[in-house]
Amino acid sequence: MSVIYMLISISIVVAVFFLYAFIKAVRGGQYDDDYTPSVRMLFDDELIKETKKNQINITEEKQV
């Protein structure tokens, strides 16, 4: 019976630790933006193409 009390107390300590870690992450802004990362991977190729296009335009302006 004493093993049950020990397991319950250990599980409560672990639960409190995870609750503390979660609250610290939320206050630190870990979960502020959950939409942009999922969309960013869809438009990575377009951003790279646009960046290269801008670099080409800048080099052309320097040459003129």
Side-chain angles (χ1 to χ4, degrees):
M1 191 69 172
S2 64
V3 172
I4 291 175
Y5 295 131
M6 184 177 66
L7 289 175
I8 289 174
S9 63
I10 290 172
S11 65
I12 289 173
V13 168
V14 169
V16 167
F17 170 73
F18 280 114
L19 179 65
Y20 170 75
F22 175 72
I23 291 173
K24 186 170 179 166
V26 168
R27 287 188 180 175
Q30 183 73 28
Y31 301 108
D32 281 349
D33 187 13
D34 58 350
Y35 179 70
T36 303
S38 63
V39 174
R40 187 183 310 140
M41 66 181 255
L42 299 174
F43 298 109
D44 273 346
D45 293 336
E46 292 177 12
L47 291 174
I48 291 171
K49 289 177 187 175
E50 187 174 315
T51 304
K52 287 181 181 178
K53 183 191 289 185
N54 289 340
Q55 289 175 350
I56 290 171
N57 289 338
I58 290 172
T59 56
E60 288 175 357
E61 289 175 2
K62 287 181 181 179
Q63 291 176 357
V64 173

